[in-house]
Amino acid sequence: MKKTVLLGVTGCVAAYKACEVVRGLQKAGLRVKVVMTKNATEFINPGQFRALTREPVAVGTFDDAPGDPIHHISLSKEADVVLIAPCTANVLGKIANGIADDLLTTTAMATTAPIVLAPAMNVNMYENEATQHNLMILAERGVRIVDADSGYLACGDVGKGRLAEPADIVKTVLDVLEVKRDMRGKRVVVTAGPTVEPIDAVRYISNPSSGKMGFALAEAAADRGADVVLVTGPVGLDDPEDVEVVRVKTAQEMFNAVDGVFADSDIAVFSAAVSDFRPEQVVDRKLKKGSDDDALTTIKLVENPDILATMGEKKHADQYVIGFAAETENVVENARKKLETKHADMIVGNPVGESKGFGADDNEAVLVTKDGESHLESMSKRALADRIFDAVLS
Ligand code: CTP
C-alpha cells in the first residue's frame, strides 16, 4: 500500500510551490493528503490541491469531514509522515511551543508520525532569535528541518528565507520514510519510447509509445541511487532528474547508443517500442502525389536489429537483462517465448488494447522469469518500475 504524506500548507507566498512538492511525492509513489491553514487559502485555492491529489482538502477544525467527527485525530493517524511546506514563522513557533489552535497544528500535535518542516519567510523573520530558538527546539525533538534557501525574497529583500527547492523537500521526505537507496553503485541502462523510421524527407513509420514506462524506470533507479543512462526515442517528456538522457530517432541509432554503454551496465531494461522494420530506401525528398515514383505505392521494409536480443546474447553472468512484451493475448506464453529467444532474465508482460498500455499512466503486468511468474495488480508506472527493481534485487 502507498505511504501517506500529510502535507500542511500555510499562509505564505510560496504556497504555490507546494503543488510541485505534491507532484514530486506522487511521482515517488506516495499518496498525498493536504491540510491548509485558513491563511494559506488566501494564497492558493484548496481546489488546486483537491484536483492534484484527488483527495479532500481539510481546512477548518470543525468543518464536516466525511464520516469523521474528530478530523485531526484521523488525519494524524493516517499520516506516515507530516510535512509542512511552506511553514511560516507563526506555525513553526506554534508547533515548537505546543500550541494547537487550528486543524493543522492540532494534527501536528496529535501525530506520532515523523514531522518534516520546510520554513519560508522574510530574512529578518528567519534570523529573528525567536525563530532560530524555535528551529533549535524542533531539531532537538527530532523534527526534520529542510533549511530555507538564500536569495531574492517575494518582499524584495535578499537573504535566507526562501522555501527550499521542491526536489530537496521531496528528497528529505523520502529519506525520513526510508524510501530505498538500494541501487547505489549500480549502473542501469533503460530504453524508452518509440523509434521513428523515415520513409522520405517528411514521413516516417512509428508507433504511439509515450515513453512513460521507460522514464518511470529511469527515475525509479536514479531515486534508488543508481547511475542511469536512458536512451529514448522521440517523446514529449522532460529529462528525469539525475539521469543521463540520450535522445535518438531510429532503431539503428538506439542500437548504437545502447551498444556503447551496455558492457558497463549491471542492469539493462528494454522498454522501448522499437520499430521492427525500416524502409530499405529513404527518399531524400518529399514524395509527391501523382508522380510515377514506385516508392509512392511500395515501401520495401528491412528488419531492424533486435536490441534486446543482441544485448541478451552478449551479456555476461552478472548482468541482468529485462525486456517487455506488450501483448493483446496469451501474455504469459508470449512473454515466456521472448524470455528464451531474447536471452533475457525477465520479461515484463503487459496486456495491451482498449484503454490499457500505450500512453496510460497505470500498467498491469506479469513478471516472467525462468523460475516462474508473478502477477501484479494495476498500478502506476512508477510503482511498477519499483516492483520490477525489487524483483531484480531479490
Ligand atoms: N526490442 C528491441 N529491439 C527490437 C524489437 C524489440 O530491443 N528491434 C525489445 C523491446 O524493447 C521489448 C522486447 O524486445 O523489450 C519485446 O518487444 P516486442 O515488440 O514485444 O517484440 P518483438 O520481438 O517485436 O515481437 P512481436 O512484435 O512479434 O510481438
Side-chain angles (χ1 to χ4, degrees):
M1 206 171 89
K2 281 186 181 181
K3 291 196 168 167
T4 299
V5 181
L6 190 68
L7 171 62
V9 181
T10 69
C12 169
V13 191
Y16 73 96
K17 291 190 186 167
C19 297
E20 218 177 305
V21 174
V22 170
R23 280 313 212 194
L25 294 168
Q26 288 173 326
K27 273 192 181 165
L30 301 171
R31 169 181 176 238
V32 185
K33 262 189 106 157
V34 173
V35 176
M36 299 175 77
T37 62
K38 198 152 183 333
N39 284 350
T41 63
E42 298 285 336
F43 291 91
I44 188 161
N45 193 302
Q48 181 79 20
F49 292 115
R50 206 175 298 126
L52 285 175
T53 61
R54 308 280 169 100
E55 301 274 359
V57 173
V59 180
T61 314
F62 302 104
D63 289 352
D64 273 347
D68 176 22
I70 314 176
H71 204 184
H72 62 290
I73 301 299
S74 60
L75 285 171
S76 71
K77 287 186 176 158
E78 222 177 337
D80 292 294
V81 59
V82 173
L83 164 68
I84 305 185
C87 184
T88 57
N90 178 49
V91 171
L92 192 91
K94 286 203 268 185
I95 295 176
N97 292 285
I99 296 169
D101 63 354
D102 63 7
L103 183 61
L104 177 59
T105 48
T106 42
T107 305
M109 186 174 265
T111 194
T112 54
I115 299 181
V116 179
L117 302 184
M121 63 198 74
N122 164 272
V123 56
N124 296 330
M125 293 172 79
Y126 184 82
E127 285 171 358
N128 185 297
E129 261 182 57
T131 303
Q132 289 304 310
H133 185 67
N134 289 334
L135 283 169
M136 197 185 70
I137 294 175
L138 289 166
E140 271 171 9
R141 276 188 212 143
V143 170
R144 279 287 289 269
I145 309 290
V146 193
D147 210 4
D149 282 345
S150 293
Y152 180 81
L153 304 174
C155 52
D157 285 350
V158 175
K160 195 161 181 176
R162 206 167 63 180
L163 182 70
E165 286 303 319
D168 292 332
I169 297 172
V170 171
K171 239 181 208 135
T172 308
V173 171
L174 297 183
D175 239 33
V176 167
L177 287 174
E178 291 179 1
V179 171
K180 295 169 249 168
R181 299 282 290 167
D182 52 0
M183 292 178 74
R184 227 180 248 139
K186 297 255 180 285
R187 283 162 302 184
V188 177
V189 178
V190 180
T191 68
T195 62
V196 298
E197 310 297 334
I199 299 168
D200 70 5
V202 294
R203 301 181 181 91
Y204 56 77
I205 297 171
S206 190
N207 63 69
S209 166
S210 67
K212 286 179 185 170
M213 189 65 232
F215 276 60
L217 283 155
E219 192 178 75
D223 282 350
R224 290 166 76 156
D227 295 322
V228 185
V229 180
L230 170 64
V231 182
T232 178
V235 292
L237 301 172
D238 295 335
D239 289 4
E241 256 179 69
D242 300 327
V243 169
E244 185 186 332
V245 180
V246 183
R247 295 201 183 246
V248 297
K249 290 204 175 89
T250 65
Q252 188 60 53
E253 286 169 12
M254 186 173 275
F255 180 93
N256 295 344
V258 171
D259 204 29
V261 289
F262 178 75
D264 286 333
S265 68
D266 301 297
I267 301 169
V269 197
F270 297 87
S271 71
V274 184
S275 305
D276 289 322
F277 295 91
R278 65 175 184 277
E280 186 177 41
Q281 302 273 321
V282 181
V283 180
D284 60 3
R285 66 204 140 75
K286 184 182 175 193
L287 287 164
K288 297 294 287 178
K289 214 168 30 195
S291 71
D292 56 4
D293 210 325
D294 273 355
L296 202 57
T297 48
T298 311
I299 301 171
K300 180 152 190 258
L301 298 175
V302 289
E303 204 164 340
N304 272 324
D306 190 315
I307 309 171
L308 165 57
T310 312
M311 302 305 147
E313 202 162 10
K314 61 178 171 183
K315 81 182 167 78
H316 50 79
D318 42 8
Q319 279 181 306
Y320 200 98
V321 166
I322 305 161
F324 274 70
E327 307 288 345
T328 51
E329 54 202 347
N330 305 327
V331 179
V332 173
E333 201 183 309
N334 284 319
R336 193 158 289 292
K337 261 189 214 146
K338 285 177 185 169
L339 188 76
E340 276 164 34
T341 55
K342 301 196 185 219
H343 316 280
D345 298 293
M346 179 194 289
I347 294 285
V348 182
N350 288 130
V352 288
E354 292 158 33
S355 61
K356 290 185 237 162
F358 284 135
D361 288 319
D362 284 8
N363 231 354
E364 199 181 310
V366 50
L367 310 187
V368 178
T369 65
K370 67 173 175 20
D371 302 323
E373 61 236 17
S374 146
H375 290 265
L376 305 178
E377 70 282 10
S378 178
M379 62 182 84
S380 74
K381 287 184 173 173
R382 171 57 202 258
L384 175 59
D386 276 307
R387 295 285 287 273
I388 291 169
F389 289 126
D390 288 346
V392 173
L393 297 185
S394 73

